[in-house]
Amino acid sequence: QLWCEEDGMFYNRSTETGEFNKRISPTNFYVFLANAASKQQAERMIKEHLLNENEFWGRWVIPNAPKNDPAYKDQNYWRGRIWGPTNFLTYMGLKNYAEKEVTEAFANKSEDLLLRGWLTKGYIYENWNAITGNSELKDNSDTFYHWGALLGYIALIEAFGEKF
């Protein structure tokens, strides 16, 4: 009941009106974690949304607000920035559906982002600017926060398997 055939996306629904909330984020891909999407639904979501450079795909992945959302340009905390936990959960769901080239590219992009701050400053950021790939810290972000390391864990899983 949450699938929208027209848009090729699982959405939340308003409990008051039953209408779809068409604002998307990485959490829309969490249906992959539960294997709740059909193969065809997952293929559409990956092709039309995840790999869409006007939404989530690009040099740095994946922003918490897609590029075509007005919140994306803010790049402040949950408004457009990239987070380790959302990347990790999206990646783990992708492992259930996506082709190897997609999971590999996702892992490489996550690793590259992590290493930008680590190799230059010795930081593992709480979140990253999805436009520049830097932290450009805001008052509400931390320079060293444990869950940022999940970006590296994605790369390790991709390289050595989930038993790593």
Side-chain angles (χ1 to χ4, degrees):
Q1 295 180 3
L2 300 177
W3 176 251
C4 176
E5 183 64 31
E6 179 183 350
D7 297 347
M9 179 61 79
F10 281 95
Y11 291 123
N12 292 316
R13 282 190 185 267
S14 168
T15 56
E16 293 177 14
T17 67
E19 298 289 320
F20 284 128
N21 175 351
K22 293 195 173 189
R23 204 126 191 227
I24 61 174
S25 74
T27 62
N28 292 83
F29 298 107
Y30 291 1
V31 297
F32 297 166
L33 285 167
N35 284 308
S38 70
K39 184 177 188 229
Q40 294 78 18
Q41 290 168 330
E43 286 173 356
R44 279 194 69 192
M45 288 177 66
I46 292 166
K47 180 183 177 191
E48 295 175 23
H49 299 284
L50 179 70
L51 299 179
N52 181 341
E53 293 202 8
N54 294 315
E55 290 185 15
F56 292 103
W57 205 247
R59 182 172 181 195
W60 314 113
V61 299
I62 61 175
N64 267 310
K67 296 172 188 176
N68 59 3
D69 186 304
Y72 177 81
K73 68 180 179 340
D74 292 349
Q75 291 298 307
N76 189 7
Y77 219 61
W78 291 108
R79 297 177 64 83
R81 291 177 76 86
I82 297 170
W83 292 74
T86 54
N87 262 30
F88 181 76
L89 292 171
T90 300
Y91 169 79
M92 292 305 292
L94 285 173
K95 295 290 282 177
N96 292 330
Y97 291 96
E99 300 291 328
K100 176 75 171 162
E101 68 181 35
V102 172
T103 61
E104 194 170 82
F106 193 101
N108 289 339
K109 289 172 181 289
S110 296
E111 178 183 27
D112 289 347
L113 188 59
L114 172 80
L115 290 176
R116 280 178 69 83
W118 180 253
L119 294 175
T120 59
K121 297 181 180 177
Y123 293 151
I124 296 177
Y125 298 110
E126 181 179 18
N127 55 63
W128 289 261
N129 183 304
I131 298 168
T132 67
N134 296 321
S135 179
E136 293 145 3
L137 294 171
K138 306 286 185 179
D139 291 338
N140 57 1
S141 294
D142 200 300
T143 55
F144 198 82
Y145 206 82
H146 65 284
W147 65 27
L150 286 167
L151 295 182
Y153 196 55
I154 292 168
L156 291 171
I157 292 170
E158 189 65 26
F160 299 107
E162 292 180 28
K163 294 184 181 183
F164 175 80

